[in-house]
């Protein structure tokens, strides 16, 4: 079986857990890079990664890497590659370019030259050229250009993989689904432990957790760009999806709760959970999404995990004083009602521990999109909120 080279893109900090996930799917020659993971294997491996990866944002298939000096070289490279192996002339294509320290003067012009190279090749081969489509292309080509090398990739996932197909309704500042899954993994939560998100918004963390517990492949409810490629095997894909459906266990014994102060947002979270195939868990209370104030929420077990991203109070934001005083009250409630629990909070506010009068036992720097955040761990041990030395991975 042909071994292809792939690059799985993911949020920074999630690279090692993505590498582990890809390894468990059978990836070979895995290399962790900043912002993603290189790996090798057959095309079926990348299809399976699109279907099952909880942490990747995109899976890209590497077509070629070449040294270049100017945009003529990049045109020649686009012109010489056998694109017709991958897609037909009637495909609508889109080309995106990412450059890092490239000496090229205009990236727009280079993008145009790549399109020209591809279209000229088709025109010379069959008298017709693919059309360019920005919004809903069949084929997405990515060019990554550094100081000396240009690499072409085909995007196998299409729409980013964090779009699982269930979130139509959003609250304020929703987390991306792969980030929510990443936070759960980093926290050490496992489905046998109670989980609470007291600032649940559209329910992303609770829904991801419930899908993990039920062993639901995150990509079962959506389509992928590889389905439009010539190298794609429909029968293999159907079998893969059937296998993934057969692995779902809707009887998983979980206790997952999410609450939010806004009843409008909670009804969105409930609708999202239904679309995510979790009605059975909502019906019998294994997944509960309710309206509630984080300052008053109570524990439903002697121990468990809180994984959450409270509202951020940026210093420049006039709301910040309000958020800080609210977080102090949230902390008082946690100290009173949640001893024995482990609380993990994602925030861009470095002062969160001091606002809460809590010392973190760990902190992890995470980029939530462009926003540099901290994922703080607080052990809610009764009566012991003395300063513990933070065991921080990154200052
Ligand atoms: C950053 S958002 C959480 C987003 C969520 N993780 C998602 O993916 O949709 C913070 C949420 O906290 C809620 N919130 C603000 N104050 C609250 C309080 N006192 N108790 C509970 N929820 C609160 C807001 O309504 C908002 O939905």
């Amino acid at each position: 079986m042909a071994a292809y080279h792939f690059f799985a893109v993911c949020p920074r900090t999630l690279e090692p857990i993505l590498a582990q996930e890809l390894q468990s799917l059978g990836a070979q020659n895995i290399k962790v890079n900043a912002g993603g993971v290189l790996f090798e294997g057959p095309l079926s491996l990348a299809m399976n990664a699109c279907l099952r990866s909880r942490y990747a944002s995109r899976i890209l298939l590497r077509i070629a890497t070449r040294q270049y000096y100017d945009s003529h070289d990049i045109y020649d490279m686009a012109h010489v590659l056998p694109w017709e192996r991958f897609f037909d002339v009637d495909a609508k294509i889109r080309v995106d370019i990412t450059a890092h320290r490239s000496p090229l003067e205009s990236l727009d012009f280079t993008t145009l030259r790549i399109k020209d190279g591809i279209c000229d090749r088709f025109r010379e081969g069959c008298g017709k050229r693919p059309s360019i489509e920005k919004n809903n292309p069949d084929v997405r080509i990515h060019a990554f250009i550094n100081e000396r090398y240009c690499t072409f990739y085909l995007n196998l996932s299409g729409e980013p993989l964090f779009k699982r197909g269930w979130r139509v309704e959003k609250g304020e500042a929703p987390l991306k689904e792969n980030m929510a899954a990443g936070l759960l993994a980093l926290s050490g939560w496992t489905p046998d432990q109670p989980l609470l998100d007291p600032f649940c918004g559209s329910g992303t963390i609770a829904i991801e957790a419930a899908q993990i517990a039920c062993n639901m492949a995150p990509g079962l409810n959506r389509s992928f760009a590889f389905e439009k490629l010539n190298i794609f095997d429909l029968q293999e894909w159907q079998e893969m999806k059937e296998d993934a459906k057969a692995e779902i266990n809707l009887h998983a014994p979980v206790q997952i709760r999410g609450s939010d102060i806004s009843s409008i947002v909670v009804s969105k979270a409930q609708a999202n959970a239904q679309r995510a195939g979790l009605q059975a868990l909502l019906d019998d209370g294994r997944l509960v999404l309710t309206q509630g104030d984080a300052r008053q929420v109570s524990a439903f077990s002697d121990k468990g995990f809180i994984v959450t991203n409270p509202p951020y109070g940026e210093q420049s934001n006039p709301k910040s004083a309000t958020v800080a005083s609210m977080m102090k009250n949230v902390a008082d409630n946690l100290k009173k009602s949640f001893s024995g629990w482990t609380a993990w909070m994602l925030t861009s506010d470095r002062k969160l521990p001091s606002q809460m009068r809590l010392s973190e036992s760990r902190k992890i720097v995470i980029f939530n999109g462009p926003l540099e955040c901290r994922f703080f761990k607080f052990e809610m041990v009764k009566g012991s909120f003395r300063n513990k030395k933070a065991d921080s991975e990154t200052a």
Side-chain angles (χ1 to χ4, degrees):
M1 228 179 283
Y4 290 94
H5 292 77
F6 304 104
F7 186 60
V9 182
C10 69
R12 277 157 69 189
T13 314
L14 299 191
E15 299 94 337
I17 56 174
L18 172 60
Q20 271 173 25
E21 182 184 54
L22 292 168
Q23 188 173 32
S24 73
L25 295 175
Q28 303 289 316
N29 295 333
I30 295 172
K31 288 193 191 80
V32 174
N33 262 19
V37 176
L38 291 155
F39 64 104
E40 291 175 26
L43 190 69
S44 57
L45 168 68
M47 289 158 59
N48 214 12
C50 284
L51 178 64
R52 292 172 188 272
S53 176
R54 298 197 182 277
Y55 313 118
S57 306
R58 291 188 175 81
I59 307 286
L60 307 176
L61 164 63
R62 194 177 82 193
I63 306 295
T65 300
R66 304 255 200 291
Q67 204 167 343
Y68 75 95
Y69 295 98
D70 55 26
S71 57
H72 296 295
D73 294 335
I74 294 183
Y75 169 88
D76 288 344
M77 181 176 170
H79 186 234
V80 86
L81 290 173
W83 299 106
E84 61 283 358
R85 266 189 56 207
F86 299 100
F87 55 90
D88 294 333
V89 68
D90 45 8
K92 290 177 272 173
I93 66 169
R94 172 182 167 133
V95 176
D96 288 291
I97 194 164
T98 307
H100 183 58
R101 295 215 207 132
S102 158
L104 293 170
E105 274 179 21
S106 162
L107 291 184
D108 286 344
F109 179 69
T110 308
T111 309
L112 212 59
R113 295 304 286 150
I114 295 171
K115 290 176 192 164
D116 288 347
I118 298 169
C119 291
D120 288 351
R121 181 178 177 89
F122 274 98
R123 202 184 284 115
E124 287 154 20
C126 70
K128 279 170 41 184
R129 48 160 285 180
S131 56
I132 307 294
E133 166 73 46
K134 211 171 170 195
N135 295 328
N136 195 18
D138 300 317
V139 175
R140 294 166 197 248
I141 295 154
H142 289 262
F144 283 81
I145 299 185
N146 66 18
E147 258 167 319
R148 293 175 65 196
Y149 289 92
C150 170
T151 304
F152 284 126
Y153 291 98
L154 276 178
N155 178 343
L156 298 180
S157 33
E159 284 288 299
L161 293 174
F162 53 78
K163 295 193 178 175
R164 317 286 206 215
W166 53 256
R167 184 157 66 184
V168 181
E169 319 241 16
K170 292 184 190 170
E172 179 191 322
L175 272 183
K176 291 196 168 98
E177 292 75 348
N178 59 342
M179 176 60 81
L183 296 182
L184 288 163
L186 291 169
S187 76
W189 173 79
T190 48
D192 53 335
Q193 312 193 59
L195 177 74
L196 169 67
D197 178 356
F199 297 96
C200 75
S202 51
T204 321
I205 293 173
I207 293 171
E208 279 296 314
Q211 287 207 329
I212 291 167
C214 295
N215 207 17
M216 280 183 185
L220 264 175
N221 291 324
R222 54 162 285 170
S223 59
F224 299 97
F226 65 72
E227 294 173 63
K228 295 200 171 151
L229 296 181
N230 293 342
I231 50 174
F232 155 70
D233 181 333
L234 178 62
Q235 194 184 339
E236 195 175 25
W237 175 229
Q238 279 169 342
E239 285 168 10
M240 226 175 254
K241 286 206 289 188
E242 286 312 314
D243 288 348
K245 279 184 200 156
E247 288 164 17
I248 295 174
N249 172 19
L250 283 175
H251 303 290
V254 280
Q255 288 184 73
I256 299 172
R257 294 200 183 173
S259 50
D260 196 285
I261 200 156
S262 159
S263 53
I264 298 171
V265 164
V266 168
S267 57
K268 290 180 180 177
Q270 287 164 343
N272 286 336
Q274 285 165 353
R275 266 189 299 272
L278 299 167
Q279 185 66 56
L281 285 80
L282 289 169
D283 287 345
D284 62 17
R286 282 173 294 151
L287 172 61
V288 178
L289 297 165
T290 52
Q291 193 274 334
D293 189 327
R295 289 167 286 197
Q296 283 148 21
V297 68
S298 45
F300 51 93
S301 173
D302 343 332
K303 57 182 182 165
F305 275 68
I306 293 174
V307 178
T308 193
N309 71 310
Y312 299 157
E314 296 295 337
Q315 283 171 344
S316 56
N317 182 335
K319 280 199 307 191
S320 65
T322 327
V323 172
S325 77
M326 179 189 76
M327 291 312 293
K328 162 77 175 62
N329 295 337
V330 169
D332 291 344
N333 184 39
L334 294 183
K335 291 173 199 175
K336 186 170 66 125
S337 315
F338 284 82
S339 67
W341 284 62
T342 303
W344 284 87
M345 298 194 183
L346 180 74
T347 178
S348 64
D349 195 340
R350 292 171 189 219
K351 295 207 179 90
L352 183 76
S354 60
Q355 284 164 6
M356 295 179 75
R357 319 274 197 276
L358 286 173
S359 294
E360 75 275 17
S361 59
R362 202 171 155 192
K363 72 179 170 215
I364 303 174
V365 174
I366 298 190
F367 283 83
N368 185 15
L371 200 60
E372 185 181 319
C373 293
R374 301 284 181 282
F375 193 35
F376 289 111
K377 179 183 186 184
F378 303 106
E379 301 287 359
M380 309 311 297
V381 185
K382 207 171 202 167
S384 83
F385 295 103
R386 293 175 300 271
N387 271 349
K388 272 188 225 154
K389 201 167 187 305
D391 133 38
S392 35
E393 269 102 82
T394 327

